[in-house]
Structure formats: structure tokens, C-alpha cells
Amino acid sequence: MRLTRQSSYAIRTLIYCAVNAPALSRIGDIAKAHGISELFLFKVIKPLVDGGLLETVRGRKGGIRLGRPAAEITLLDTVR
């Protein structure tokens, strides 16, 4: 099975957030770590937030974090 580029980046983003939990992850750091454009990463993150897999924290020290425990997130949830 081949994953789309967007699905691949979504999985990488979730793994990055899981490794850095409970701290917030910044979009720029994730983009730099995986060589992804920040604008494209925003497009990837939006459906993950809408699906409850990620939460955003606004403000100067904001970022993203997992919306639920990593053990409860499946690959199927991510690809959907």
C-alpha cells in the first residue's frame, strides 16, 4: 500500500508530537526536522485537528500536541 505525501507527513507529525509529549511542538521545528514546507504542513495539520488527533495552543508560546494519548491513535485514524 502506498501512502500519499500528505498521509506520510501526517504520520511524521504525530510521531514528532508523541516523542516530544507533554511539551508543545512548534510547526517550524517539525517542518525543519522533516524537510517539509511550513505552508504545506499547516494544510496537513488542519484535518488532524478537526479529527481530534491534534490540539492547537495559540499564543506566543503556543504550538501543537496530541489530542489524545498516543496509544489510542491508530494508523487508520491518521490516514482518514
Side-chain angles (χ1 to χ4, degrees):
M1 179 175 139
R2 288 187 59 102
L3 295 174
T4 63
R5 191 171 59 164
Q6 187 170 0
S7 296
S8 176
Y9 291 158
I11 293 166
R12 291 180 194 187
T13 301
L14 290 172
I15 291 171
Y16 189 95
C17 290
V19 169
N20 289 328
L24 293 175
S25 301
R26 295 181 179 263
I27 304 294
D29 295 339
I30 297 170
K32 191 180 290 185
H34 296 294
I36 305 169
S37 160
E38 285 188 38
L39 293 176
F40 187 68
L41 192 56
F42 279 116
K43 290 180 183 179
V44 169
I45 289 173
K46 175 77 169 105
L48 295 175
V49 171
D50 293 342
L53 299 176
L54 287 176
E55 339 180 297
T56 58
V57 177
R58 297 179 63 114
R60 186 168 184 209
K61 296 191 181 198
I64 58 172
R65 64 176 164 225
L66 293 179
R68 52 185 163 175
E72 295 179 12
I73 298 174
T74 65
L75 185 60
L76 181 61
D77 293 335
T78 307
V79 173
R80 275 191 189 157

